[in-house]
Amino acid sequence: MRWEDLDKKYIWHPFTQMQTAENPLAITKGKGSLLFDKKGNTYIDAISSWWVNLHGHSHPYLAEKVNEQMLNLEHVVFAGCTHEPAAQLCSRLKKHLPKNQEKFFFSDNGSSAVEIAIKMVIQYWHNKGENRNRFLALNGAYHGDTFGAMSAGARGLFSTPFNNYLFEVTHLPFPTEKNVLDNLKTELEKGEIACFIFEPLVQGAAGMRMYSSEILDKMIALCHEYGVLCIADEVMTGFGRTGTTFAVNQLKNKPDLMCMSKGLTGGTLPMSITTCNQKIYNAFLSNDLTKAFLHGHSFTGNPVGCAVSLASLDLLEKQKCQDNIKRIIKSHQAFAEEIKNHPKIDNLRQTGTILAIELTDENSGYASDLRTRLYKHFLSEGILIRPLGNVIYILPPYCITECELSTVYSATKKALKL
Ligand SMILES: Cc1ncc(COP(=O)(O)O)c(C=O)c1O
């Protein structure tokens, strides 16, 4: 049997109505920004394969480091054992993080990193004997698909069957709306707030919705006045997407906890980390085991994941990669300038290497006809882009060439005529 038929026979794909879905692209190879399918088609990966890939597909340096680590130590239980790649990775990451981030807890996907941050917050207040059981998040938030992460996220299409099982979270107006600080203050005054969780500067799944560092700075400062812990979910924004290594590097006020995944391994292997400040960590220290954070996953701190994360940081820190990030930012700016007055564009926005083009179309949901038409259009132009409803966005690997970017821009201009 052809392997595509085996796929059809056995595989249940994510976010997919299997009854009506068309056959998935049968990808056989990736190189740089390109993906190749079994039929001989080539696609520019303009969305970094679910926002994970930083340096291009099948990068030889990353492959070499994976191979090296595999031959030395592929995995070991992380409770009671440790290894050098994990320790070195934390020490390297520390240099890129706000100074207050002191401790690192490993897991293996973005939702788990968020779940862990929420559990840490809940147990922090529990250990301290303070009754804080209310949570704040932003309208439109997406923090993942596990229950805690879903609870923090907006209620909607994805959460509907589960809404009755999610814990209550107060969703604040999106920070570009008026009176957001007054609203936040009202909630804080009601008391008992454990934490405020947010995607800093850019909400990914909501349609690459963007807001300023100034307002976020004020929101964090206000939360801190009330002793509320702040969680920055950098799962999507981390590792250079917003122009700085982390979005929170653009803030004066720092979060208490951070979640990272996706770009952590350069997009090669599943891994995530939740970091926190010393104050939170200290609240778990005791002679009493029940005060400890009794949480873990089989693949926590996987050495191969750590080794490839270190290798990805090697590449990210190189001048060449930093220049590429600046180049993409400039190219996006020039393209945005070129199309900004197009009548089909309702809103055009950019933060760092992320460019989002929101179309003026009423029929704009995740499952909308427009979204499907746009997706197919880009494929026919040899580009992989998965629009979020009526929002086309470009979030490329940093190695994308100017020529590949202009192909993506031309196809975007054609999409405006659809
Ligand atoms: C901001 C944010 N948080 C959490 C997640 C969940 O990450 P994962 O898909 O690895 O579980 C995502 C995924 O897109 C995300 O964008």
Side-chain angles (χ1 to χ4, degrees):
M1 205 184 242
R2 296 182 326 148
W3 64 262
E4 304 93 293
D5 297 329
L6 294 174
D7 171 281
K8 206 163 183 61
K9 189 162 180 212
Y10 294 118
I11 298 181
W12 191 344
H13 285 271
F15 297 116
T16 303
Q17 174 45 267
M18 296 305 293
Q19 181 159 308
T20 52
E22 293 189 9
N23 291 336
L25 301 177
I27 300 297
T28 51
K29 193 175 163 58
K31 192 80 209 143
S33 307
L34 302 178
L35 292 166
F36 305 90
D37 77 3
K38 215 177 162 187
K39 293 180 182 155
N41 299 312
T42 303
Y43 303 96
I44 299 170
D45 182 356
I47 50 166
S48 303
S49 288
W50 253 343
W51 321 340
V52 299
N53 190 298
L54 302 186
H55 311 296
H57 292 279
S58 312
H59 197 290
Y61 180 67
L62 301 183
E64 182 192 317
K65 292 294 172 184
V66 166
N67 188 43
E68 223 171 70
Q69 186 58 45
M70 283 294 285
L71 294 171
N72 193 44
L73 175 68
E74 86 305 338
H75 190 59
V76 66
V77 51
F78 209 56
C81 292
T82 191
H83 50 78
E84 185 173 359
Q88 295 288 8
L89 176 59
C90 298
S91 157
R92 281 280 292 284
L93 276 173
K94 175 100 181 81
K95 296 186 187 115
H96 293 281
L97 291 168
K99 283 201 173 54
N100 69 345
Q101 297 302 294
E102 297 283 359
K103 297 292 172 183
F104 296 68
F105 196 98
F106 285 89
S107 53
D108 36 48
N109 61 77
S111 305
S112 295
V114 168
E115 208 72 28
I116 286 164
I118 293 172
K119 282 182 74 176
M120 279 179 177
V121 164
I122 292 173
Q123 195 177 342
Y124 170 84
W125 293 116
H126 173 85
N127 284 1
K128 287 180 73 80
E130 268 193 57
N131 184 26
R132 291 205 185 219
N133 48 30
R134 295 185 56 226
F135 302 86
L136 299 178
L138 293 177
N139 265 347
Y142 177 76
H143 295 290
D145 291 334
T146 51
F147 272 80
M150 261 200 296
S151 298
R155 306 294 183 264
L157 178 66
F158 297 91
S159 73
T160 303
F162 313 104
N163 282 350
N164 288 344
Y165 303 91
L166 303 180
F167 59 78
E168 211 175 295
V169 170
T170 302
H171 288 96
L172 301 164
F174 191 68
T176 53
E177 283 176 36
K178 274 190 201 147
N179 303 330
V180 71
L181 290 174
D182 292 342
N183 239 291
L184 173 58
K185 196 159 181 177
T186 307
E187 290 305 327
L188 291 166
E189 283 290 337
K190 288 183 196 162
E192 294 185 4
I193 301 214
C195 75
F196 167 43
I197 181 168
F198 52 87
E199 295 157 85
L201 308 189
V202 186
Q203 271 187 342
M208 299 296 157
R209 294 206 299 173
M210 301 174 186
Y211 61 100
S212 73
S213 56
E214 287 77 21
I215 186 75
L216 184 56
D217 248 329
K218 287 183 185 151
M219 293 175 88
I220 295 175
L222 198 51
C223 284
H224 282 166
E225 270 178 40
Y226 288 77
V228 168
L229 299 174
C230 292
I231 305 174
D233 175 356
E234 291 254 16
V235 168
M236 188 280 284
T237 49
F239 302 96
R241 296 294 180 200
T242 65
T244 43
T245 305
F246 291 99
V248 296
N249 297 142
Q250 300 178 35
L251 302 176
K252 288 190 210 76
N253 295 302
K254 303 304 180 190
D256 302 280
L257 301 104
M258 289 175 65
C259 309
M260 63 195 78
S261 184
K262 293 195 184 278
L264 172 61
T265 61
T268 56
L269 287 173
M271 191 151 99
S272 52
I273 298 182
T274 307
T275 63
C276 71
N277 63 22
Q278 194 70 41
K279 175 179 88 169
I280 293 171
Y281 180 75
N282 286 350
F284 291 74
L285 301 179
S286 162
N287 291 327
D288 177 359
L289 178 66
T290 64
K291 299 269 187 204
F293 191 51
L294 300 177
H295 180 109
H297 301 277
S298 313
F299 288 99
T300 288
N302 173 260
V304 186
C306 292
V308 78
S309 299
L310 278 165
S312 175
L313 275 181
D314 290 343
L315 298 177
L316 185 68
E317 287 167 359
K318 278 207 159 69
Q319 196 54 48
K320 186 174 164 201
C321 185
Q322 292 303 313
D323 290 346
N324 277 339
I325 290 174
K326 288 193 194 106
R327 174 179 55 82
I328 294 167
I329 293 174
K330 267 194 163 171
S331 299
H332 278 354
Q333 280 164 347
F335 178 57
E337 192 56 34
E338 186 188 332
I339 58 167
K340 70 178 183 200
N341 294 323
H342 196 287
K344 270 255 179 120
I345 298 178
D346 190 36
N347 186 279
L348 189 58
R349 46 191 182 263
Q350 180 189 0
T351 301
T353 65
I354 309 167
L355 180 67
I357 302 137
E358 185 165 342
L359 305 184
T360 50
D361 202 296
E362 306 289 296
N363 169 20
S364 64
Y366 182 84
S368 74
D369 177 48
L370 172 68
R371 186 221 168 258
T372 309
R373 268 188 291 134
L374 289 169
Y375 177 67
K376 286 186 179 168
H377 160 74
F378 282 107
L379 286 184
S380 73
E381 295 281 325
I383 295 160
L384 181 65
I385 282 184
R386 287 169 59 89
L388 293 155
N390 61 336
V391 179
I392 300 169
Y393 68 92
I394 308 169
L395 190 157
Y398 305 141
C399 63
I400 193 165
T401 64
E402 275 308 289
C403 179
E404 287 162 348
L405 264 183
S406 39
T407 305
V408 176
Y409 296 150
S410 305
T412 305
K413 279 196 276 187
K414 282 193 204 162
L416 296 175
K417 293 191 192 125
L418 284 183

